[in-house]
Amino acid sequence: MNAETPEPLPSGRFSGRIDFAQGVRDALACAAREGWPEIVLSDATFEDWPLRERSVVESLQAWSRAGRHMTLLATRFDEVVRQQPRFVAWRQTWGHIIDCRVCRDAADADCPSAIWSRSWFMQRLDPLRSVGVWGFDPERSVLLRQLLDEKIRDSTPGFPATTLGL
């Protein structure tokens, strides 16, 4: 492969925060490159996601356009607001294609830590140790989407793009 050909997204197991963070970066870069129409990002707090990084926000910016849709699911978004300012600014600009949801009555451990798209998925099975699976397996992808859909159905809107004040 030459230097300009991006590496394909991985498949199999991953372990550790470095692998996890790189998986997030690579997935969002791939989403921009391939034009994934829909992405679901889910985590209790997104605290250890690399959403503050310039390259991640640049990938999201390149991905953003009409016809695209992103769902964010979390137990709370306060860590995102505090620790991910670049992402928050991007979210404010693209609020019309992003649906932010808060898991209702869910403990952090009950909120899946995952990225899902029709093309690829990543799921942390142990968020504390950043151990999980990623890949293209259709059966695992369907099961993850069903889990995310269940959590989304039992959620409420949250993390508004703008806060109106008096």
Side-chain angles (χ1 to χ4, degrees):
M1 244 184 243
N2 67 35
E4 296 188 21
T5 304
E7 290 290 322
L9 290 174
S11 185
R13 298 187 67 77
F14 66 89
S15 181
R17 292 186 187 277
I18 293 171
D19 283 353
F20 168 73
Q22 192 59 50
V24 172
R25 289 181 201 103
D26 293 346
L28 296 176
C30 186
R33 227 179 13 258
E34 295 180 3
W36 295 355
E38 179 183 16
I39 303 172
V40 178
L41 303 180
S42 176
D43 192 76
T45 64
F46 291 100
E47 183 176 0
D48 57 349
W49 288 53
L51 301 176
R52 72 184 59 76
E53 296 177 6
R54 183 181 312 274
S55 65
V56 170
V57 173
E58 287 171 354
S59 292
L60 289 168
Q61 182 65 29
W63 171 81
S64 308
R65 62 176 51 128
R68 305 280 165 87
H69 184 261
M70 177 182 285
T71 301
L72 292 175
L73 179 66
T75 57
R76 60 189 188 281
F77 287 99
D78 56 329
E79 293 298 324
V80 174
V81 172
R82 270 196 299 278
Q83 296 183 11
Q84 317 275 12
R86 283 190 178 110
F87 179 79
V88 172
W90 173 81
R91 187 264 184 278
Q92 288 171 337
T93 302
W94 292 96
H96 58 286
I97 65 169
I98 304 167
D99 183 21
C100 296
R101 311 290 301 179
V102 176
C103 292
R104 199 170 26 179
D105 301 324
D108 286 357
D110 293 333
C111 187
S113 182
I115 296 176
W116 182 90
S117 76
R118 293 177 192 151
S119 304
W120 185 82
F121 70 90
M122 176 170 67
Q123 181 179 15
R124 284 198 294 184
L125 304 172
D126 180 351
L128 291 176
R129 293 176 187 83
S130 288
V131 173
V133 294
W134 47 22
F136 309 92
D137 178 37
E139 185 176 330
R140 275 192 185 266
S141 180
V142 167
L143 290 173
L144 176 58
R145 183 58 199 238
Q146 288 172 344
L147 173 64
L148 292 168
D149 284 347
E150 177 183 320
K151 299 294 183 180
I152 291 167
R153 273 191 305 278
D154 192 36
S155 69
T156 58
F159 188 30
T162 58
T163 304
L164 299 176
L166 297 176

